[in-house]
Amino acid sequence: RSYQLIETLGLLACCLLLFAFLESYTSWPFALASLLYWGCILPLTYLNHHFHPWDRPSTALWLLALICTRHRRWWALAAVLSIGVVTKYDILVFPLLVFLAFRKSEPWKQNVLRTAALLALTLSTFVVLRWIAPGGFEPRSVLDQVSENLLTFREYWFVYPPLLALGLPAALAFIGYSVADPFARACVQLS
């Protein structure tokens, strides 16, 4: 029941945060259409996977980190990143987005120091977690994971779930890249 509660609350948070993030960029009809698209592709995330109760909260924290960064709420971002690393360590790379997004619009030294501080925060949180729970993370070989993903892609080909889910947004990002603002470009570059 606790996993169902975590999943349900995470899903609700994702819906609200995705709409809030997109609506700050564009009109509410486009934000709503994007939210409906996300709802349609969401079932694809369950194919060939085990239940991961941290995935929705992690996605919600990524969205919250995007909102904090876009609105330059650095202390809030630091808190979100700390919680994000505890939830799922893939948010470790997020400080690079901060650097990419503001490298041209803010003084170089200020941007590098902010990025370094955020990176130090995320890495130190990760190191402390590894120290507290040394076997707490599932060991996995990156090459084995890439090989497994390629075999799965070969098996499914054009109906490969990540391709179905991310193909349209990737194509739209490619088309709109030249007219996008620096923050949106940085998001595409990090992905």
Side-chain angles (χ1 to χ4, degrees), residues 32-47:
L32 183 60
S34 300
L35 183 60
L36 291 173
Y37 175 80
W38 184 72
C40 289
I41 65 159
L42 198 58
L44 295 173
T45 64
Y46 289 102
L47 296 177

Side-chain angles (χ1 to χ4, degrees), residues 84-107:
V85 172
V86 172
T87 306
K88 189 175 178 189
Y89 60 89
D90 65 349
I91 205 165
L92 282 170
V93 299
F94 196 91
L96 299 176
L97 175 67
V98 173
F99 175 77
L100 292 171
F102 300 106
R103 71 180 183 272
K104 293 181 180 175
S105 63
E106 292 189 2

Side-chain angles (χ1 to χ4, degrees), residues 2-187:
S2 62
Y3 284 161
Q4 288 177 339
L5 181 63
I6 291 169
E7 178 76 6
T8 303
L9 292 176
L11 187 58
L12 176 62
C14 286
C15 290
L16 295 173
L17 290 168
L18 180 61
F19 183 81
F21 176 68
L22 292 174
E23 205 250 342
S24 73
Y25 251 105
T26 184
S27 63
W28 71 266
F30 181 80
L32 183 60
S34 300
L35 183 60
L36 291 173
Y37 175 80
W38 184 72
C40 289
I41 65 159
L42 198 58
L44 295 173
T45 64
Y46 289 102
L47 296 177
N48 301 324
H49 294 291
H50 300 288
F51 177 69
H52 296 213
W54 53 83
D55 282 346
R56 300 294 171 255
S58 174
T59 303
L61 289 166
W62 270 87
L63 288 165
L64 191 55
L66 286 170
I67 291 169
C68 290
T69 303
R70 180 152 163 72
H71 296 288
R72 293 178 165 94
R73 304 284 190 236
W74 306 122
W75 291 106
L77 177 62
V80 169
L81 290 178
S82 295
I83 297 167
V85 172
V86 172
T87 306
K88 189 175 178 189
Y89 60 89
D90 65 349
I91 205 165
L92 282 170
V93 299
F94 196 91
L96 299 176
L97 175 67
V98 173
F99 175 77
L100 292 171
F102 300 106
R103 71 180 183 272
K104 293 181 180 175
S105 63
E106 292 189 2
W108 180 84
K109 187 176 181 180
Q110 179 184 1
N111 193 25
V112 168
L113 289 174
R114 179 187 315 113
T115 302
L118 292 170
L119 197 55
L121 174 70
T122 57
L123 289 174
S124 63
T125 305
F126 180 75
V127 167
V128 167
L129 285 174
R130 294 290 295 196
W131 177 67
I132 291 172
F137 298 112
E138 178 184 338
R140 59 175 83 172
S141 165
V142 173
L143 292 177
D144 288 345
Q145 186 66 49
V146 169
S147 175
E148 184 180 332
N149 289 346
L150 290 174
L151 287 173
T152 305
F153 175 71
R154 199 167 144 214
E155 178 184 342
Y156 283 95
W157 202 237
F158 288 108
V159 291
Y160 182 55
L163 183 63
L164 290 174
L166 302 175
L168 178 61
L172 292 174
F174 179 76
I175 291 168
Y177 187 82
S178 63
V179 295
D181 67 5
F183 182 76
R185 286 183 184 187
C187 290

